[in-house]
Amino acid sequence: MDLYHYYEKSKGPFLSLSALPINEAVAIQNQLVSDNKTFAAQRNEKYLPRRLEIEGIVRNLFIEKGGKPEKYTPHYFAVGECPWLATWYQQADFIKIPITEFDLLAVSFTYGDTFPTFSSNVNDGMEYRKTVYTYEEILKIIGKYGMPQDSWDKPVYAQPSYVEAQVWSDKVINKYL
């Protein structure tokens, strides 16, 4: 299994608004909206507070399952290649890292992007809603439902479009900077 981190080539990988002081993050998000050139331009003023809330929920659920996050905000990856994620950027690039490089006690997973996975507006009864998985658990969910990016050609609201991995450590990341 490989994890893919997509990013804007001109800015570099592993940048995170939620890892910044809130005033700095808001200023950058406002600039992204003003520039109106990337997927991030669609976000509104509720995005950052909700992002921080979801990251806290995911982190706490992961800890309850025995996870050992080393930081408060994760680095985001897709499990497997997901060309749709490249469309989020003007000039996309990605870094591919084998899962074997990571300490699995610092990697959690959601079946789909965390926003729709934890949305109160999505009530389809699917077992993967509002759920965080360990590596062993996500393998079972993938075995049951497949890789979302293999079964659709364009996203539909709240439909999982990829399996997300949240990496709660900088150890491996620092090798790829």
Side-chain angles (χ1 to χ4, degrees):
M1 174 187 293
D2 292 318
L3 302 185
Y4 285 72
H5 173 76
Y6 290 86
Y7 62 95
E8 183 67 52
K9 190 172 188 171
S10 65
K11 302 214 184 293
F14 305 116
L15 300 175
S16 171
L17 287 176
S18 53
L20 298 171
I22 193 68
N23 59 333
E24 215 176 306
V26 167
I28 291 170
Q29 180 59 44
N30 289 343
Q31 186 62 52
L32 290 170
V33 170
S34 174
D35 291 347
N36 196 26
K37 295 178 182 172
T38 64
F39 184 81
Q42 300 172 34
R43 298 172 180 158
N44 63 30
E45 67 281 350
K46 296 177 184 176
Y47 171 77
L48 282 171
R50 181 66 176 144
R51 165 62 60 206
L52 294 170
E53 178 185 10
I54 290 171
E55 287 176 349
I57 291 168
V58 170
R59 188 176 190 278
N60 288 336
L61 289 172
F62 185 47
I63 289 169
E64 287 175 16
K65 290 190 169 205
K68 306 274 186 215
E70 298 171 10
K71 52 189 284 155
Y72 285 96
T73 60
H75 297 286
Y76 290 97
F77 288 82
V79 173
E81 189 174 6
C82 183
W84 176 68
L85 287 175
T87 69
W88 290 18
Y89 306 96
Q90 286 187 286
Q91 189 177 13
D93 205 351
F94 66 85
I95 293 174
K96 178 174 95 169
I97 305 174
I99 190 72
T100 54
E101 288 197 37
F102 295 98
D103 174 356
L104 295 178
L105 290 175
V107 184
S108 59
F109 300 86
T110 51
Y111 193 80
D113 183 279
T114 51
F115 264 78
T117 297
F118 285 91
S119 173
S120 59
N121 297 325
V122 180
N123 300 301
D124 58 11
M126 298 304 292
E127 68 181 294
Y128 47 76
R129 299 295 181 196
K130 298 172 182 58
T131 304
V132 172
Y133 297 101
T134 64
Y135 176 70
E136 293 78 20
E137 292 171 330
I138 199 63
L139 291 177
K140 291 176 186 170
I141 293 295
I142 292 169
K144 185 173 185 177
Y145 295 103
M147 293 294 287
Q149 61 265 44
D150 292 344
S151 61
W152 58 274
D153 61 352
K154 55 181 135 175
V156 176
Y157 176 73
Q159 173 189 344
S161 48
Y162 55 93
V163 176
E164 187 176 275
Q166 303 89 28
V167 175
W168 300 91
S169 172
D170 290 327
K171 287 178 184 165
V172 174
I173 304 306
N174 289 335
K175 294 183 349 187
Y176 289 86
L177 291 174

